[in-house]
Amino acid sequence: MAVNENADRPKAVRLRGKDVNAESSLKWPELYRSGQRQELSSPLILISSLLYAVYSSLVFFFIPFGVFHNTAYDFQTMAVTVAMAATFTANVEISLVTRYWTRLNVAAVCVSVVMFFICSRITHSTSLFKASPGDYFFLGASNRAFIDPLVWLTALLTTWTAVLPSMTALAINVIFNMHDKHKVHSASSQPVELRSRLRRGASLRRSSYALSQGAGPGRLISSGTCIRSTVPTVDEQVTADNNPTDSQLQINMKNK
Amino acid sequence: MVKEEKEIANRPDNTAFTQQRLPAWQPMLSAGIVIPGFVLIGLAFIGIGVALFVTSRSITVLEIDYTGIEKDSPCYKCSDSDAKNCVCNLVFSIDSLFEGPVFFYYGLSNYFQNYRKYAASRDDEQLSGDLDAFTAPSDSCSPYNYNSNDKPIVPCGAIANSMFNDTFVLYRVVNGAKQLVPLDGKGIAWWTDYNVKFRNPSVTPLKNAFNNTVKPIFWPKPAYQLDTSDPANNGFINQDFLVWMRRAALPDFRKLYRRITDGDYAKGLPAGNYSLTIAYNYPVVSFDGRKKVVFSNVSWMGGKNEFLGIAYLVVGSLCVLMSMVMLIVYAKFKFPEED
């Protein structure tokens, strides 16, 4: 589950992040440098995400284990504690990644937490139990767990411990990068003269994004015509003499 | 022309939401916010940790292992697997008033009530009084659903079958004479378990509901004889049965047996000598388990729990330490720039 949550972080960034208009993109190229350098999907990032997921899993189990060891607490109370900690941790992680707090973002986080409590109360309720005793057997667990200070304190401690590496990384990031360099979007966007030094077809050093959005070969890339294998099949070899293949067309256009 | 119209039709609406012009707050974090934040959280955790630790220290707990593995243990003769209906006597003394209300638990260790197959081995329909499930117990209870003569077992499953059946009687020894300490067994199980989850079949007398069924193999008496003196404590709603059926979280656990709240002992157990008579029926030696009795009083945070207090103190100190380190690093990092 921890791995799943970490995998959702890039998704969350895409959903919550703000898009940038053309003038701002030209003005601040460092915004898309991390994509060009593949910084977000490098092996180092993947391994550190995996290690972080393992760490959080261990925290989610062993802290409640230490608290409930040799006590009269039962399995369902421990389950509710771990679920509470996991919900809080997921929401904190998403909050750390969110850069733009619109009302929607605030509402999403609040609704997420509140829905956890509401859904727990519903699935642990008498009416659902009476409808299907074999499925809803957590009857009464949240009644006692949500008013027990020990459960809340354990969930709080587990959340903070699981979130600690992310918080530390954020703190170190803030300390080492002077924050005034990051006032990217607060400055009003002034009209920027669109002086592109790249002439069409002048050099092969264009980012793949730019290439895919440009005219000519751009249309071919965006429409996915080039995704087919360029190795001609038996049928295609017969007609190869008559029609130039797509890859040949592309090379011709590049060399203009 | 047509293409332009298509493009205009596909263009997103010019609202604040779709054009990402919503008013937003962007947190501007700086070292001046982050480092004091860590210090504050660290101090808050240390405060909570101290409160928990102090509360936990004020709780008294008395644990006595009575498995009887050691030769000098009073229950050594009972730990032999061949001994039947063995009774042993534990003698202990209390130095000062054990403040009440005193909770009397039995504890088991190396007992995995959280093992998946064991945990699934129950029939909740049977336990909620459904007579159809009496004649046809669910398959999840197997192999504890039918006995060797193909008669349905009620209540079926491994959890019910392994019900704890040691009984305890506590005496206070005053001037050589034994005074019985009254133990209160009412309301030791969850309210929802007693009133909603477990229901006796609505047949009077209760015995008739169990026709053509057999008791669990390990039980000495069938379910409708669990407490013949009190019909509100008989059958599936027997408090000891409910406490047992509420599965423990971890292999070392305690379950509430009785409370000591009545009469002379309302303020707690006075100092003196005590004798606990145990009817030793439950075998744990075969799987290296241990049995113990635990006397404890409770506070707002439940029983004694030193782990939570210490964990909060550790995490709080770690946060404070980290913020100190970050402060030093920040100071060293900042000053070379100003030069």
Side-chain angles (χ1 to χ4, degrees):
Chain A
M1 203 209 122
V3 177
N4 221 16
E5 285 301 331
N6 275 321
D8 283 345
R9 276 171 72 193
K11 257 195 269 175
V13 171
R14 282 202 294 278
L15 287 171
R16 302 333 169 69
K18 198 166 147 72
D19 204 356
V20 177
N21 59 10
E23 294 86 356
S24 312
S25 289
L26 278 173
K27 202 167 163 192
W28 296 295
E30 58 260 21
L31 282 178
Y32 45 87
R33 204 151 277 164
S34 63
Q36 283 184 323
R37 289 192 198 145
Q38 296 210 310
E39 280 173 15
L40 288 175
S41 56
S42 64
L44 182 66
I45 297 281
L46 291 173
I47 289 175
S48 68
S49 292
L50 191 65
L51 282 175
Y52 184 43
V54 170
Y55 165 79
S56 354
S57 297
L58 292 173
V59 162
F60 283 138
F61 177 71
F62 280 104
I63 292 188
F65 170 82
V67 173
F68 294 127
H69 185 247
N70 224 358
T71 60
Y73 283 95
D74 65 301
F75 188 79
Q76 293 179 351
T77 306
M78 185 170 167
V80 170
T81 311
V82 174
M84 215 193 284
T87 307
F88 291 161
T89 305
N91 280 294
V92 168
E93 291 281 348
I94 293 204
S95 309
L96 286 179
V97 172
T98 306
R99 288 262 140 253
Y100 289 92
W101 285 94
T102 62
R103 288 206 188 97
L104 279 171
N105 292 37
V106 175
V109 172
C110 293
V111 166
S112 169
V113 173
V114 166
M115 281 303 284
F116 165 74
F117 288 104
I118 291 178
C119 289
S120 292
R121 297 289 292 132
I122 291 174
T123 47
H124 300 183
S125 69
T126 311
S127 36
L128 278 177
F129 171 76
K130 288 209 169 118
S132 172
D135 293 328
Y136 295 98
F137 50 87
F138 264 65
L139 173 66
S142 59
N143 291 358
R144 295 169 64 105
F146 288 159
I147 58 173
D148 192 346
L150 197 76
V151 166
W152 279 91
L153 288 170
T154 310
L156 182 68
L157 179 69
T158 311
T159 305
W160 177 251
T161 313
V163 165
L164 203 54
S166 293
M167 287 277 190
T168 314
L170 178 74
I172 290 176
N173 206 22
V174 164
I175 287 174
F176 281 122
N177 303 321
M178 293 299 123
H179 75 276
D180 29 59
K181 280 191 197 162
H182 278 198
K183 277 189 185 152
V184 175
H185 296 283
S186 55
S188 58
S189 43
Q190 291 142 3
V192 172
E193 199 183 322
L194 287 168
R195 247 184 310 123
S196 169
R197 285 188 286 116
L198 293 166
R199 285 190 302 271
R200 256 188 43 197
S203 116
L204 287 168
R205 284 172 56 204
R206 297 176 70 182
S207 70
S208 56
Y209 179 79
L211 192 63
S212 70
Q213 298 301 313
R219 286 273 178 273
L220 291 167
I221 296 169
S222 305
S223 59
T225 343
C226 306
I227 290 177
R228 282 195 328 237
S229 164
T230 51
V231 175
T233 61
V234 177
D235 292 359
E236 281 181 41
Q237 269 176 348
V238 175
T239 54
D241 296 321
N242 302 330
N243 310 315
T245 61
D246 290 338
S247 52
Q248 284 182 344
L249 186 65
Q250 202 177 352
I251 293 168
N252 286 340
M253 301 201 76
K254 264 195 199 168
N255 290 335
K256 264 193 203 159
Chain B
M1 279 54 72
V2 176
K3 208 173 162 191
E4 262 190 48
E5 277 172 17
K6 266 194 195 162
E7 281 181 13
I8 291 168
N10 287 338
R11 197 176 288 173
D13 305 329
N14 191 15
T15 65
F17 175 66
T18 51
Q19 295 301 326
Q20 298 193 349
R21 286 197 306 264
L22 287 171
W25 172 66
Q26 187 182 6
M28 285 304 179
L29 290 175
S30 65
I33 296 175
V34 163
I35 294 179
F38 261 81
V39 171
L40 276 172
I41 293 181
L43 289 176
F45 271 45
I46 289 179
I48 298 175
V50 165
L52 284 170
F53 193 70
V54 165
T55 312
S56 177
R57 280 269 152 180
S58 70
I59 296 173
T60 353
V61 169
L62 176 61
E63 264 187 42
I64 308 170
D65 186 316
Y66 71 93
T67 321
I69 302 228
E70 304 83 22
K71 286 212 168 59
D72 57 348
S73 162
C75 294
Y76 175 64
K77 60 184 193 315
C78 295
S79 60
D80 189 3
S81 50
D82 294 327
K84 297 260 181 287
N85 299 328
C86 186
V87 172
C88 56
N89 247 326
L90 274 181
V91 174
F92 61 93
S93 67
I94 298 179
D95 299 326
S96 55
L97 174 71
F98 199 117
E99 282 183 27
V102 178
F103 283 62
F104 183 173
Y105 301 91
Y106 60 86
L108 288 165
S109 45
N110 207 26
Y111 198 109
F112 289 80
Q113 273 207 319
N114 53 0
Y115 184 64
R116 181 70 195 140
K117 276 188 91 173
Y118 177 91
S121 179
R122 60 193 285 164
D123 187 352
D124 286 309
E125 314 248 336
Q126 241 184 32
L127 296 169
S128 60
D130 185 359
L131 283 168
D132 295 329
F134 273 46
T135 46
S138 133
D139 287 331
S140 54
C141 285
S142 89
Y144 297 98
N145 46 359
Y146 293 96
N147 72 350
S148 45
N149 297 332
D150 268 342
K151 285 205 140 189
I153 298 177
V154 174
C156 73
I159 312 181
N161 188 48
S162 58
M163 182 172 154
F164 189 76
N165 52 7
D166 283 1
T167 51
F168 308 95
V169 185
L170 182 63
Y171 298 99
R172 183 173 170 217
V173 180
V174 173
N175 299 331
K178 279 188 178 179
Q179 271 180 12
L180 182 68
V181 177
L183 299 175
D184 178 22
K186 288 201 178 41
I188 53 175
W190 287 19
W191 187 92
T192 42
D193 280 356
Y194 182 71
N195 289 6
V196 183
K197 195 167 181 187
F198 291 77
R199 300 270 85 206
N200 277 330
S202 44
V203 174
T204 44
L206 186 58
K207 189 175 172 195
N208 291 349
F210 290 78
N211 286 338
N212 298 325
T213 65
V214 290
K215 64 173 178 58
I217 302 165
F218 180 64
W219 284 22
K221 291 183 287 192
Y224 54 86
Q225 286 180 351
L226 281 173
D227 188 354
T228 42
S229 61
D230 184 2
N233 197 28
N234 202 9
F236 295 148
I237 54 175
N238 176 270
Q239 296 276 344
D240 289 319
F241 178 64
L242 295 178
V243 165
W244 182 255
M245 292 301 282
R246 182 135 291 279
R247 286 181 297 118
L250 296 164
D252 295 338
F253 61 86
R254 295 174 188 171
K255 287 186 182 287
L256 185 58
Y257 181 70
R258 296 285 185 268
R259 293 194 189 98
I260 302 172
T261 50
D262 296 333
D264 296 331
Y265 305 96
K267 287 217 164 57
L269 290 174
N273 293 324
Y274 290 84
S275 160
L276 183 68
T277 304
I278 303 171
Y280 192 118
N281 300 317
Y282 204 69
V284 297
V285 177
S286 56
F287 55 86
D288 285 333
R290 311 287 280 204
K291 295 194 282 188
K292 53 184 185 271
V293 286
V294 181
F295 295 89
S296 169
N297 44 24
V298 295
S299 68
W300 61 268
M301 56 171 271
K304 199 177 188 76
N305 204 324
E306 292 189 341
F307 176 86
L308 197 59
I310 294 175
Y312 263 94
L313 283 171
V314 164
V315 172
S317 325
L318 189 70
C319 284
V320 171
L321 190 70
M322 269 170 29
S323 64
M324 298 292 168
V325 167
M326 284 195 283
L327 186 65
I328 294 172
V329 165
Y330 175 65
K332 283 210 166 144
F333 192 63
K334 197 180 164 205
F335 286 121
E337 276 196 10
E338 285 185 357
D339 284 332

